[in-house]
Amino acid sequence: MHESLTIGQLATRSGVAPSALRYYERLGLIRAERTGGNQRRYARTELRRVAFVRISQQVGISLEEIREALDSLPSARTPTTEDWARLSLTWRERLNEKIRLMTKLRDDLDGCIGCGCLSLQRCTLYNPGDSLAGEGPGARLVLPPNGRGADPA
Amino acid sequence: MHESLTIGQLATRSGVAPSALRYYERLGLIRAERTGGNQRRYARTELRRVAFVRISQQVGISLEEIREALDSLPSARTPTTEDWARLSLTWRERLNEKIRLMTKLRDDLDGCIGCGCLSLQRCTLYNPGDSLAGEGPGARLVLPPNGRGADPA
DNA sequence: CTGCAAGTTGAAGCCCACTTCAACTCAAGG
DNA sequence: CCTTGAGTTGAAGTGGGCTTCAACTTGCAG
C-alpha cells in the first residue's frame, strides 16, 4: 500500500509540485524507480531528500550546491541519521553566517537611521560580496559579475 | 564639476553597473535629468536612492516593492533624514522577521540533527509561507503559486 | 473491459534582475 | 576639426527555478 510513492503522493506529502519533483530528478537531486509502464515510484526515503532540498533552499543554497551535497551521501547504503546530520551541520554554519550578516545589517541600519547618512561611503551597510538575501535564485544580486563596483572608495 | 553625475560616475560611486542603473530608471526607482544631447545627469541625491535600493535588496525586498516604498517619498521636496528613516524603519521590521525565522530554522535544524528526523511532518523546519531566503529575485521559492502543497498534513 | 484520473515526454514559457549587443550619438581634450 | 571614450536605444540573451502545454500512455475502480 505504501511501499513506494507515486509522484502525486510524493507531491502531496512533501508539498512540492510534481513538475518540481521531475525537475529535481533531472538535476539529480532525487531518484525514482520505474514501473513496467514507465511511471515513477519513489522510495519513502526520498521524502527525506526532498525535505533536505527544501530546507536547504530556505538557507539560501542553490539547487546545484544542494546536488553536490547530496552527492556526498553514501550511494551504496541508505543514508543514516549521522549522514544527514553531517550535511545539516555544514548548512548550519551557512545559516549562522547569514544570521550574523543580517543582524549586522539591521544594526547598521539602526545606526544609519540615527545618523541619517544612508550613504554608500560612510556606512557599513553597503558591504559588497555578502549577498544576504536572494542568494538562491536569479541574477547576481549584490555585486555584478564584472569588475565594476566592488570598491566603494 | 560635481554638480551632477554622469551615469558612469554614479555607477562608480554606487558600485552599480550602468546597465542596472538604466534598468532601475525604467522601473521608476531612480530619476535623471537629460543634457541637450540626451545623456543622463543625476542629482547627487540619487546616490541615496541607489543606496536605499541596494540595501533594500539585501533585506530581500523585490524591486517592485522598493519602487512602491520610494513612491511614498515626497516628490515635491528633497526627502529629509526623517523621510529616509521612516522608510528604513519599515524594512527594519522585515529584517527582524527574517532574522527571527532564520534563527528558528537554525534551532529547528539543531533539534532535527539531534532527533534525526528531518521529516516534513514532524519538524517545524518545513513551514511553508515563510520563504526565508531568496525572496528577492527569481521564481517562487518555498511555495509554488498554485494551491499544491501548503498543508503538509 | 472501459473510462478517466494520473502519469509520461520534450519543448516552450515565465519571472526577476539584470547583461550584452549592435548601431549609433555626444562631449571634451589635443 | 577630429578622435576617442562615454553615453544612447531597443531587442535579445542569461540564469535559476520552476510551470504550462500538447500529445500521448498507464493504472485502477467499477
Side-chain angles (χ1 to χ4, degrees):
Chain A
M1 190 188 185
H2 40 67
E3 172 68 15
S4 61
L5 302 169
T6 67
I7 195 168
Q9 289 167 334
L10 184 58
T12 302
R13 300 202 40 174
S14 66
V16 174
S19 57
L21 293 174
R22 293 194 196 94
Y23 179 65
Y24 289 171
E25 185 176 333
R26 280 226 313 280
L27 298 191
L29 294 169
I30 58 178
R31 272 161 296 159
E33 309 285 306
R34 295 300 181 118
T35 65
N38 197 38
Q39 297 200 352
R40 290 172 181 82
R41 285 304 119 94
Y42 296 94
R44 311 274 296 306
T45 56
E46 291 302 299
L47 259 172
R48 186 165 283 200
R49 288 179 80 96
V50 176
F52 182 77
V53 170
R54 297 306 260 197
I55 288 166
S56 303
Q57 284 191 307
Q58 292 197 46
V59 185
I61 317 280
S62 72
L63 292 184
E64 170 59 19
E65 258 198 288
I66 297 171
R67 191 193 54 72
E68 286 168 20
L70 285 171
D71 282 355
S72 80
L73 284 176
S75 50
R77 55 179 172 76
T78 300
T80 65
T81 299
E82 281 72 32
D83 292 322
W84 288 114
R86 181 174 47 77
L87 284 200
S88 301
L89 268 178
T90 67
W91 280 190
R92 206 197 107 101
E93 286 162 29
R94 304 266 293 245
L95 195 44
N96 266 331
E97 178 64 7
K98 279 201 116 185
I99 291 171
R100 197 184 63 72
L101 287 171
M102 294 193 47
T103 306
K104 174 163 155 41
L105 177 59
R106 184 195 56 194
D107 294 345
D108 288 350
L109 195 55
D110 284 354
C112 282
I113 289 171
C115 76
C117 61
L118 201 71
S119 149
L120 296 179
Q121 278 71 44
R122 275 177 287 165
C123 274
T124 42
L125 272 175
Y126 189 74
N127 46 353
D130 277 349
S131 77
L132 287 172
E135 268 177 348
R140 61 286 316 128
L141 266 189
V142 173
L143 266 208
N146 58 27
R148 207 171 272 289
D151 56 340
Chain B
M1 190 187 184
H2 40 66
E3 173 67 15
S4 61
L5 301 169
T6 67
I7 195 169
Q9 289 167 335
L10 184 59
T12 302
R13 300 202 41 174
S14 66
V16 174
S19 59
L21 292 174
R22 292 195 196 96
Y23 179 65
Y24 290 170
E25 185 175 333
R26 280 227 311 281
L27 298 191
L29 295 169
I30 57 177
R31 272 159 296 158
E33 309 287 306
R34 294 300 180 119
T35 66
N38 198 36
Q39 298 200 350
R40 290 171 181 83
R41 285 304 118 93
Y42 296 94
R44 311 271 295 305
T45 56
E46 291 302 298
L47 260 172
R48 186 166 280 199
R49 288 179 81 97
V50 176
F52 182 77
V53 170
R54 298 305 260 197
I55 289 165
S56 303
Q57 283 191 307
Q58 292 197 44
V59 184
I61 318 282
S62 72
L63 292 184
E64 170 59 19
E65 257 197 289
I66 297 170
R67 191 192 54 73
E68 286 168 20
L70 285 171
D71 282 356
S72 80
L73 283 176
S75 50
R77 55 178 171 78
T78 300
T80 64
T81 299
E82 280 72 33
D83 293 322
W84 287 113
R86 182 174 47 77
L87 282 199
S88 300
L89 267 177
T90 67
W91 280 189
R92 206 197 108 100
E93 284 162 30
R94 303 267 294 247
L95 194 44
N96 267 331
E97 179 65 6
K98 278 201 116 183
I99 291 171
R100 197 184 64 72
L101 287 172
M102 294 193 46
T103 306
K104 175 163 155 42
L105 177 58
R106 186 195 55 194
D107 294 344
D108 289 349
L109 195 54
D110 284 354
C112 282
I113 289 171
C115 76
C117 61
L118 202 70
S119 149
L120 296 178
Q121 278 71 45
R122 275 178 287 167
C123 274
T124 42
L125 273 175
Y126 190 75
N127 46 354
D130 277 348
S131 77
L132 287 172
E135 268 177 350
R140 61 287 313 129
L141 265 190
V142 173
L143 266 207
N146 58 28
R148 207 170 273 290
D151 57 341

